[in-house]
């Protein structure tokens, strides 16, 4: 990566690869399944309408699993970068786990929603949620038994897009970590950042679908490469 002295504003995008070393399964494994389910059987509004119980159970299990995992060196390094970086900084995560939050990241947006949140289909209010949803509990805000996982499913609009687009337009450095680059709009952030003049860096176990779009692509485990990269910035 060229001259780092000119970097003031940083945007980082993370995906499932940053939580892999904590023991959270990634989505696109070699067998093309998502923990034994096809993505379209659980992660779409249509799937939820067809079989709400299956979808609620699936996310209930993932929410329960959060209690058994811990932030790793990647989450810690990015939280430190956030705390110490004087310029603008934004961490955009596609992950619905709470590991960046637990590591202490502050300037953080969850663009695909959060497991520890429930969205009410009756009143549209998002409530913090740590328990199960499959048993049909009432919404804390309106009382309706109409809670769904607060996850952005395929075909739905990700959260915070205006703030993310503004940060991408103003950044000098865009870094993508642990994502396969298969899901838009996140997969297109590199092009937006580049078009606005940012340097771009990818850190991933293997080349992502959009590797060629980055100025530099580093391959390896994020748990090793990210702390090294953060260290090199200071
Ligand atoms: P994927 O499972 O598609 O990709 C994870 C990437 O992380 C892969 O390219 C792996 O090679 C890489 N990886 C795995 N272990 C790693 C490690 N230790 N260090 C570095 N990289 C590693 O996950 P995402 O790209 O996050 O959406 O998937 C994007 C979205 O698709 C998710 O947010 C999810 C899913 O549908 C929703 O839940 C709405």
């Amino acid at each position: 990566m060229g001259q780092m002295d000119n970097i003031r504003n940083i945007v980082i995008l993370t995906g499932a690869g940053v939580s892999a070393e904590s023991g959270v399964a990634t989505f696109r494994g070699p067998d093309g399944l998502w923990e034994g389910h096809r993505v379209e059987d659980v992660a779409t509004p249509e799937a939820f309408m067809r079989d709400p119980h299956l979808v609620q159970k699936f996310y209930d299990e993932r929410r329960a699993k959060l209690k058994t995992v811990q932030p790793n060196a990647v989450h810690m390094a990015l939280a430190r970068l956030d705390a110490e970086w004087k310029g603008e900084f934004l961490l955009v995560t596609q992950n619905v786990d709470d590991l960046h939050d637990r590591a202490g990241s502050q300037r953080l947006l969850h663009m695909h929603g959060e497991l520890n949140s429930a969205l009410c289909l009756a009143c549209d209010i998002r409530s913090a949620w740590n328990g199960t949803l499959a048993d049909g509990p009432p919404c804390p805000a309106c009382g309706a038994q109409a809670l769904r996982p607060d996850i952005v499913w395929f075909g739905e609009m990700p959260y915070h897009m205006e703030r993310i687009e503004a940060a991408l337009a103003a950044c000098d450095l865009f870094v993508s970590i642990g994502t396969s680059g298969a899901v838009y709009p996140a997969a297109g952030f590199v092009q937006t950042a580049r078009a606005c003049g940012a340097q771009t860096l990818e850190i991933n176990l293997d080349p992502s679908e959009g590797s060629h779009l980055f100025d530099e692509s580093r391959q390896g485990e994020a748990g090793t490469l990210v702390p090294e990269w953060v260290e090199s910035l200071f």
Side-chain angles (χ1 to χ4, degrees), residues 22 43 67 106 123 133 179 185 197:
S22 291
K67 297 183 175 128
Q106 300 286 324
C123 72
L133 291 174
T179 175

Side-chain angles (χ1 to χ4, degrees), residues 14-18 20-21 26-29 34 39 43 59 94-96 112 151-154 177-183 203-208 220-223:
T14 61
V18 303
E21 290 163 68
T26 60
F27 295 99
R28 290 171 187 81
W34 186 12
V39 169
Y59 287 102
Q94 299 171 85
N95 297 344
V96 296
H112 288 167
I151 305 288
V152 177
W153 286 326
F154 287 100
I177 308 171
T179 175
S180 62
V183 176
I203 298 176
N204 206 44
L205 198 56
D206 38 40
S208 72
E221 292 204 326

Side-chain angles (χ1 to χ4, degrees), residues 2-10 85 171-173 197 199:
Q3 183 51 267
M4 282 285 184
D5 294 348
N6 302 325
I7 305 295
R8 233 193 98 68
N9 302 337
I10 301 177
W85 191 256
C171 76
D172 309 304
L173 174 64
Q199 295 180 47

Side-chain angles (χ1 to χ4, degrees), residues 56-173:
Q56 295 283 26
K57 283 280 255 211
F58 178 79
Y59 287 102
D60 280 356
E61 278 169 28
R62 291 182 75 85
R63 194 178 305 106
K65 174 98 201 289
L66 288 187
K67 297 183 175 128
T68 71
V69 299
Q70 300 300 328
N72 64 47
V74 187
H75 303 104
M76 302 311 288
L78 295 179
R80 174 188 165 212
L81 180 56
D82 179 7
E84 297 183 14
W85 191 256
K86 301 288 180 252
E88 296 289 324
F89 177 90
L90 182 64
L91 173 55
V92 179
T93 188
Q94 299 171 85
N95 297 344
V96 296
D97 66 52
D98 60 349
L99 296 178
H100 283 306
D101 311 70
R102 278 153 62 189
S105 282
Q106 300 286 324
R107 292 179 278 182
L108 166 67
L109 295 176
H110 281 271
M111 67 176 290
H112 288 167
E114 295 175 66
L115 281 168
N116 283 334
S117 178
L119 173 65
C120 181
L121 291 166
C123 72
D124 218 31
I125 286 177
R126 307 172 72 187
S127 299
W129 201 265
N130 296 309
T132 53
L133 291 174
D135 47 331
C139 168
C142 75
Q145 285 181 288
L147 294 175
R148 59 162 269 188
D150 192 5
I151 305 288
V152 177
W153 286 326
F154 287 100
E156 297 180 326
M157 178 63 81
Y159 286 116
H160 311 300
M161 284 307 296
E162 277 184 32
R163 285 170 68 186
I164 295 168
E165 294 285 348
L168 288 169
C171 76
D172 309 304
L173 174 64

Side-chain angles (χ1 to χ4, degrees), residues 179-199:
T179 175
S180 62
V183 176
Y184 283 82
F189 289 174
V190 57
Q191 279 152 307
T192 307
R194 268 183 90 114
C196 298
Q199 295 180 47

Side-chain angles (χ1 to χ4, degrees), residues 215-228:
D215 295 319
E216 185 185 341
S217 180
R218 298 184 190 171
Q219 265 107 59
E221 292 204 326
T224 307
L225 295 183
V226 173
E228 275 173 18

